[in-house]
Amino acid sequence: MPHSAGLSGVFSPVLTPFDAQGRPSTERFVKHCRWLRGQDVGLAVFGTNSEANSLAVGEKQKLLAALLEAGVEPSALMPGTGACALPDAIELTRTAVQAGCAGVLVLPPFYYKGVSDEGLFRYFAGLIEGVADERLRIFLYHIPPVAQVPISLDLIDRLLDRYPGIVAGVKDSSGDWANTSAMLERHAPRGFQVFAGSEVFLLRTLRGGGAGCITATGNVNPGPIVDLFKHWQDADADQRQAGLDTTRAIFQRYPMIPAMKAAIAWQSGDADWRHVRAPLVELEKSQADALCAELEKSGFSMPNAKSLAA
């Protein structure tokens, strides 16, 4: 299969649970990661839906250490290590590489807007050379709707020319299929692994030779997403895709991170799963009730969700 070389599959930017005091809940985090691994989902911890940019470097390092101590295999981990401050990115990336993680997912430095490809190239080059470890595998994180700092096709070519093998792939969260398709056509032949940023694009990505998806709703709907990845060449693949689209659309009618946490709180019976870190806020009760009613009507369920409770 064209997408079988290198890292592939379904990854989830793992939600970070917090306690009532706003501290990361390590116990819930480990349980959630184990639950996801039980359904063959890779762990893109410290991604957008992890509230990663609301976490300190030290908090991320402690959570990563807790996963490793709990026996989660490093080959399933693709931590988000991008940061506006290059020294922070180097420190966290080095931690991930030394732990044996399969790769790292790296945002561009996103505070300054309108920066040039030259500036972004210097950032990624500085990260690679600062870590200085041949085991490093970087997956670029292209998310212009949020970061407002795009990673251009030309920049990817330049990075692949300079750092072949180390610059291993991309998560395309542009929401623009034309861009994902261009990455597949232009870069995948060079061994570059293209992941869709949502399961909505999973089937198209696989049919185009892509690697899979790294998707928010992998946190709450992992089984059906993984099933499509495993059976994308079957006759019912389009029907499976339509089912994924339906569930995704329900969550997208609400602020995604609080909505997914509300769903886990409902399914697990653990109300503390609702907590988010400022500036995010929890769903209002009326919103959470409406979300859960919609999900229940659609037949949504999270198998063994009680295991996610603290």
Side-chain angles (χ1 to χ4, degrees):
M1 292 185 291
H3 61 275
S4 61
L7 207 57
S8 64
V10 176
F11 284 76
S12 177
V14 180
L15 293 165
T16 305
F18 297 101
D19 64 21
Q21 287 73 45
R23 299 169 301 202
S25 173
T26 303
E27 180 187 1
R28 291 181 180 88
F29 183 68
V30 170
K31 286 182 174 183
H32 187 39
C33 287
R34 282 178 161 162
W35 182 79
L36 291 169
R37 287 302 300 136
Q39 297 174 79
D40 289 337
V41 174
L43 307 175
V45 295
F46 320 138
T48 299
N49 291 277
S50 315
E51 299 172 72
N53 287 295
S54 300
L55 293 169
V57 170
E59 288 177 317
K60 296 174 191 176
Q61 289 172 318
K62 287 179 183 176
L63 289 170
L64 183 58
L67 287 184
L68 297 169
E69 288 166 13
V72 173
E73 64 275 40
S75 60
L77 289 163
M78 188 196 294
T81 62
C84 286
L86 183 55
D88 286 349
I90 291 171
E91 180 182 352
L92 191 54
T93 302
R94 186 178 287 133
T95 299
V97 172
Q98 291 174 349
C101 294
V104 293
L105 188 61
V106 183
L107 275 168
F110 52 84
Y111 179 77
Y112 296 106
K113 314 307 181 194
V115 296
S116 64
D117 275 6
E118 173 63 26
L120 293 176
F121 179 83
R122 291 182 189 182
Y123 174 88
F124 287 111
L127 174 59
I128 292 165
E129 291 168 19
V131 173
D133 193 316
E134 63 184 14
R135 296 173 294 174
L136 175 61
R137 296 293 178 268
I138 284 180
F139 291 81
L140 305 170
Y141 189 4
H142 177 62
I143 182 169
V146 177
Q148 300 292 309
V149 178
I151 296 173
S152 72
L153 301 178
D154 288 345
L155 175 60
I156 294 172
D157 273 330
R158 187 176 173 192
L159 288 167
L160 286 173
D161 289 343
R162 178 70 68 87
Y163 303 107
I166 290 177
V167 178
V170 68
K171 176 186 179 184
D172 185 7
S173 291
S174 64
D176 176 7
W177 172 247
N179 190 74
T180 308
S181 180
M183 289 177 169
L184 288 165
E185 290 177 19
R186 185 161 162 177
H187 306 305
R190 303 181 68 175
F192 190 71
Q193 300 293 106
V194 178
F195 287 87
S198 165
E199 74 275 22
V200 170
F201 299 106
L202 178 56
L203 187 55
R204 278 180 277 181
T205 298
L206 294 173
R207 286 172 172 167
C213 65
I214 304 172
T215 179
T217 31
N219 277 287
V220 289
N221 194 36
I225 301 174
V226 171
D227 281 346
L228 175 58
F229 175 79
K230 291 180 177 178
H231 299 284
W232 69 275
Q233 292 175 302
D234 291 3
D236 65 349
D238 288 285
Q239 184 179 341
R240 291 174 186 264
Q241 181 67 69
L244 299 185
D245 295 351
T246 297
T247 301
R248 176 82 181 203
I250 294 172
F251 279 99
Q252 286 189 167
R253 285 196 271 278
Y254 304 85
M256 282 284 286
I257 297 169
M260 290 188 293
K261 286 188 165 183
I264 295 176
W266 163 50
Q267 290 275 301
S268 68
D270 182 354
D272 277 347
W273 255 104
R274 294 178 59 248
H275 298 305
V276 292
R277 182 171 275 187
L280 301 186
V281 295
E282 294 80 10
L283 292 190
E284 296 176 5
K285 186 178 185 303
S286 60
Q287 290 177 303
D289 289 347
L291 167 68
C292 295
E294 272 197 274
L295 289 170
E296 192 164 33
K297 186 177 179 181
S298 76
F300 171 86
S301 68
M302 294 176 62
N304 304 314
K306 298 296 184 188
S307 68
L308 302 176

